[in-house]
């Protein structure tokens, strides 16, 4: 059922093999293992629109990273222009906009190649993504630059579970893993 996503993963791996750097190979291997995943709050916190979404990798790239689309095709998960993983609409995704309804507060680093590698306690949601009673009592996030409380609230804990990825014996994955092992 995930043939399109598998082709995207194979393409990522082939490009990484051509690049040949450790970073490109490690990133592509991680991304090819997280082609499809589910994400949602571990507690009753997010509203129905964003709770328990299934995400699939796309062939789109924004700010140097792959884009994942919710299976409903309405929301997208991408690295925004401020280097943070963001959930927003297609138009905002295309622009790389930081305007979103859910964001991971940890800045994207070279060590994080896929959303499945982000810490579960580093997410914040906006008023429109959060259940009303939970939003009212949640911990608000302070702005790093001003120290002022923002409209964002901390999601107590997000669950991100890989559902489908390429196996290590898939030819493109095996080639990338062999090339990566040779770099050690």
């Amino acid at each position: 059922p995930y043939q399109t996503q598998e082709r995207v993963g194979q393409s990522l791996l082939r490009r990484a093999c051509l690049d040949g750097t450790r970073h490109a190979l490690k990133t592509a291997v991680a991304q090819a293992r997280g082609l499809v995943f589910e994400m949602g709050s571990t507690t009753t916190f997010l509203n129905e629109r964003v709770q328990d979404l299934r995400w699939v990798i796309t062939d789109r790239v924004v700010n140097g990273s792959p884009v994942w689309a919710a299976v409903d095709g309405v929301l997208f998960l991408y690295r925004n222009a401020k280097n943070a993983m963001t959930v927003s609409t297609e138009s905002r995704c295309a622009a790389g906009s930081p305007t979103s309804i859910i964001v991971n507060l940890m800045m994207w680093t070279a060590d994080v190649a896929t959303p499945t590698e982000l810490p579960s306690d580093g997410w914040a949601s906006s008023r429109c993504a959060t259940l009303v009673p939970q939003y009212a009592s949640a911990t608000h996030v302070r702005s790093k630059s001003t120290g002022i409380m923002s409209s964002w609230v901390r999601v107590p804990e997000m669950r991100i579970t890989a559902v489908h990825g390429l196996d290590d014996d898939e030819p493109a994955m095996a080639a990338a893993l062999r090339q990566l092992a040779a770099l050690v």
Side-chain angles (χ1 to χ4, degrees):
Y2 299 115
Q3 293 167 335
T4 301
Q5 288 73 36
E6 288 176 358
R7 284 193 295 277
V8 170
Q10 292 160 349
S11 177
L12 290 168
L13 291 164
R14 281 194 222 79
R15 279 194 301 257
C17 285
L18 289 173
D19 180 291
T21 64
R22 172 179 297 289
H23 174 72
L25 289 162
K26 284 179 73 172
T27 298
V29 165
Q31 290 168 346
R33 287 182 172 151
L35 299 175
V36 180
F37 61 92
E38 291 178 344
M39 184 171 113
S41 175
T42 60
T43 62
T44 305
F45 191 83
L46 299 173
N47 66 33
E48 192 175 301
R49 177 180 173 209
V50 293
Q51 179 63 31
D52 298 324
L53 286 176
R54 180 167 285 198
W55 300 91
V56 295
I57 199 166
T58 70
D59 59 358
R60 294 171 61 182
V61 173
V62 171
N63 295 317
S65 295
V67 172
W68 285 262
V71 267
D72 65 6
V74 175
L75 295 173
F76 293 82
L77 187 63
Y78 60 96
R79 182 173 71 161
N80 70 30
K82 292 185 176 181
N83 227 21
M85 196 51 120
T86 301
V87 174
S88 197
T89 61
E90 183 175 15
S91 61
R92 289 183 175 148
C93 170
S97 172
T99 303
S100 61
I101 60 172
I102 298 175
V103 66
N104 190 281
L105 300 172
M106 185 186 111
M107 293 299 111
W108 193 271
T109 67
D111 298 334
V112 177
T114 179
T116 56
E117 297 176 331
L118 290 166
S120 62
D121 64 346
W123 294 87
S125 60
S126 66
R127 180 184 302 270
C128 69
T130 311
L131 294 169
V132 174
Q134 283 74 1
Y135 184 85
S137 62
T139 303
H140 283 258
V141 176
R142 286 190 180 276
S143 166
K144 289 181 183 176
S145 58
T146 64
I148 297 171
M149 291 291 211
S150 74
S151 61
W152 291 93
V153 294
R154 288 194 175 275
V155 177
E157 189 167 328
M158 286 291 252
R159 166 194 42 76
I160 302 176
T161 307
V163 172
H164 183 73
L166 295 179
D167 294 327
D168 288 357
D169 61 351
E170 190 281 327
M173 178 69 86
L177 290 170
R178 280 192 304 275
Q179 194 169 341
L180 189 57
L183 292 175
V184 173

